[in-house]
Amino acid sequence: MQTAEFANHTGVDLKELFVRVEYDRELLRDVLEIFTEEFLKLHALLQRAVERGDAERIQNEAHTLKGMLASLSFGKASASAMRIERLARQADLAGIQEEMAHLEYEVPFAQANLKKVCEEIW
């Protein structure tokens, strides 16, 4: 399976991620630990902003999530956060719920696949 196909299939571009952490297993573990904690906080803030219909807050939280997800090479999840950010910027709150569902699927999917790969190599 080609790298791009693997990334599309798993939700995470492992090659890109391993290069980012310079193939340092400890660093990757630390990054994933921090991500798990921070994602839950940021997702909760984003969800509250969506519930309130606060477009500016949605945009800010989605932007932060987009960067965090991109730094872990979670391409599909990062793209969902980017679409949420764009919809909020355009004050198009109707489409945000659908993108939230994508985000809420893609992040755990990528996390689970990354965890599985890490367990296999460690």
Side-chain angles (χ1 to χ4, degrees):
M1 186 178 301
Q2 298 286 1
T3 303
E5 289 175 38
F6 187 79
N8 286 334
H9 180 69
T10 63
V12 58
D13 185 332
L14 292 172
K15 183 177 180 182
E16 180 180 290
L17 179 57
F18 289 148
V19 167
R20 285 177 194 243
V21 297
E22 299 177 351
Y23 296 90
D24 183 329
R25 292 176 182 175
E26 291 300 316
L27 177 57
L28 181 57
R29 273 192 202 134
D30 292 345
V31 167
L32 291 175
E33 216 173 278
I34 292 167
F35 168 78
T36 300
E37 293 172 18
E38 292 304 310
F39 174 78
L40 293 174
K41 293 175 192 174
L42 286 170
H43 181 265
L45 291 171
L46 177 59
Q47 188 62 44
R48 279 196 291 272
V50 169
E51 289 167 2
R52 288 191 305 251
D54 184 341
E56 184 177 346
R57 193 82 185 122
I58 294 168
Q59 185 179 343
N60 291 338
E61 302 304 343
H63 179 80
T64 301
L65 275 174
K66 176 184 70 175
M68 177 185 286
L69 294 165
S71 71
L72 280 173
S73 303
F74 286 16
K76 288 183 178 182
S78 180
S80 285
M82 180 180 68
R83 287 189 293 270
I84 292 167
E85 179 184 13
R86 185 178 57 234
L87 288 167
R89 188 179 316 112
Q90 297 167 347
D92 180 4
L93 302 182
I96 289 178
Q97 286 298 336
E98 183 177 343
E99 284 304 326
M100 287 291 289
H102 287 290
L103 182 69
E104 290 163 2
Y105 170 80
E106 289 298 335
V107 171
F109 179 72
Q111 275 183 297
N113 285 315
L114 180 56
K115 182 179 178 185
K116 182 179 176 183
V117 168
C118 288
E119 287 171 354
E120 290 173 4
I121 63 173
W122 287 325

